[in-house]
Amino acid sequence: MNESNRLLIDWIESWPLFEWITRIVPNGYAQALLVLGLFIILAKIMDLVVVPVIKRWSRLTETTFDDELIGILRRPVFMSIILIGLGVTADILGFDGQVARITFSVLKTIAIFIWTLFIVRFLRLILLYLGDDESRYQMVQERTLPLLNNLSVILAVGLATYFIFIAWRIDVTAWLASAGIIGIAISFAAKDTLANLFSGVFIVADAPYNIGDFIVLDTGERGMVTQIGIRSTRLLTRDDVEITVPNAVMGNAKITNEAGGPHEKFRIRVAVSVAYGSDIDQVRRILTEVATGEEMVCEVPEPRVRFRTF
């Protein structure tokens, strides 16, 4: 048994209740059975009495976040109390050496699995809560939730694996070194994919354009944004042709968002050429009539025709 286990069990066994049990129950097996029963009763009290009271208090708040948090926290707390009781019981029974090490390693592994599942659900709950207010947390949106959920699961599983190795007293130095080398190899092999992935996350977070905006790239491509994915952005041109641009290109390109700004109106300049010798006043009048006859053209400001050059 390591020092942390020993300190926890010594602290629990210093309670007056355990001193009273050891005095009135001399048999070690009976002590262990009684202590385990007390921990089961404590877990039931926590599950059936304390948690419902806390849930009633949480209903007084305006959000449902605390209600859902209590719901996912209920089972890990119940199981943790039972596991602590099993650890104290094993100590009372006098487990030592290899048996004690395996027993406590198994209990720790079960606890790690339980709390890892809680952490995954907790992070998912936080992401859903943040995603409800897209105006404040632009990075957490419906289209980015799957990616963020997967990243949170990978992080939780990685930490759980690390703590399980520690629970079984396995040296993780070599494993971490191998993982670092593998990570470097994968990053070099999939650098383009990773560049598109991270650029997609940054585009969603920075929001230089949104779905429905008409944008123009410095390379000449122009069109309406129809989809912002994790790997690429799709544009629909005036000719109903869809262009797929990798997010790494979008992240490094100069983008003109013609639908951006505080107003929905935007100016379009159209160059019109006419033959030499044409009546300039007539050309101006015809172009003005064409512009004012288009329902999408604003009345304020009114369309203007400018004669630039011969």
Side-chain angles (χ1 to χ4, degrees):
M1 185 186 306
N2 58 30
E3 185 177 354
S4 60
N5 295 337
R6 184 71 268 168
L7 290 175
L8 176 61
I9 292 178
D10 288 344
W11 176 69
I12 293 175
E13 291 180 350
S14 65
W15 296 353
L17 177 62
F18 287 93
E19 295 178 358
W20 177 76
I21 291 174
T22 55
R23 286 200 306 267
I24 67 170
V25 182
N27 185 271
Y29 291 100
Q31 291 178 4
L33 184 62
L34 183 58
V35 167
L36 181 60
L38 290 175
F39 271 96
I40 294 175
I41 293 173
L42 177 61
K44 283 293 184 180
I45 292 174
M46 181 68 68
D47 189 53
L48 300 177
V49 178
V50 178
V51 172
V53 171
I54 297 176
K55 290 187 71 173
R56 282 198 295 270
W57 290 343
S58 66
R59 293 192 186 101
L60 301 177
T61 60
E62 297 180 357
T63 66
T64 60
F65 177 80
D66 47 1
D67 300 273
E68 297 180 14
L69 177 60
I70 294 172
I72 63 176
L73 187 61
R74 185 173 188 171
R75 185 56 55 186
V77 171
F78 177 84
M79 293 301 301
S80 297
I81 295 174
I82 299 297
L83 292 174
I84 293 174
L86 290 173
V88 176
T89 301
D91 184 69
I92 293 175
L93 292 176
F95 291 170
D96 55 3
Q98 187 74 6
V99 177
R101 189 178 68 84
I102 293 176
T103 301
F104 284 99
S105 296
V106 170
L107 295 177
K108 286 182 179 180
T109 302
I110 297 174
I112 291 171
F113 275 119
I114 293 172
W115 284 100
T116 300
L117 183 60
F118 164 77
I119 291 174
V120 170
R121 292 176 176 176
F122 177 67
L123 293 176
R124 185 176 301 150
L125 179 62
I126 290 180
L127 291 175
L128 292 174
Y129 178 74
L130 297 180
D132 289 338
D133 191 356
E134 296 184 1
S135 61
R136 293 183 58 190
Y137 308 99
Q138 295 181 354
M139 187 173 180
V140 185
Q141 300 182 15
E142 183 178 356
R143 58 179 176 268
T144 61
L145 279 178
L147 172 65
L148 297 176
N149 279 329
N150 292 335
L151 291 177
S152 64
V153 170
I154 293 173
L155 178 62
V157 171
L159 291 175
T161 303
Y162 173 76
F163 285 115
I164 288 175
F165 283 164
I166 293 178
W168 288 92
R169 298 182 182 180
I170 299 175
D171 187 8
V172 297
T173 304
W175 292 83
L176 292 177
S178 301
I181 295 173
I182 294 174
I184 294 174
I186 293 176
S187 64
F188 277 110
K191 60 180 180 179
D192 294 335
T193 301
L194 293 176
N196 290 327
L197 175 65
F198 287 111
S199 296
V201 174
F202 294 145
I203 288 172
V204 172
D206 189 45
Y209 51 82
N210 298 308
I211 294 177
D213 290 353
F214 195 88
I215 64 175
V216 181
L217 303 183
D218 55 358
T219 53
E221 291 87 355
R222 56 190 297 145
M224 183 180 68
V225 180
T226 58
Q227 181 179 347
I228 304 175
I230 297 301
R231 193 194 68 83
S232 62
T233 296
R234 296 183 182 180
L235 307 178
L236 185 65
T237 67
R238 298 291 190 189
D239 301 323
D240 287 334
V241 176
E242 188 176 71
I243 302 176
T244 301
V245 185
N247 283 332
V249 175
M250 299 295 291
N252 295 319
K254 178 182 177 182
I255 301 174
T256 301
N257 189 348
E258 295 186 348
H263 304 289
E264 295 182 356
K265 302 177 182 179
F266 60 94
R267 178 179 291 121
I268 296 178
R269 297 178 177 87
V270 181
V272 178
S273 300
V274 295
Y276 288 105
S278 300
D279 188 339
I280 301 301
D281 294 332
Q282 184 181 9
V283 172
R284 187 187 301 273
R285 185 179 66 255
I286 292 174
L287 292 177
T288 302
E289 292 175 354
V290 170
T292 55
E294 171 59 45
E295 62 178 7
M296 297 296 291
V297 176
C298 301
E299 296 180 359
V300 179
E302 63 181 8
R304 292 182 295 175
V305 179
R306 291 182 175 179
F307 181 72
R308 291 291 187 181
T309 184
F310 285 102

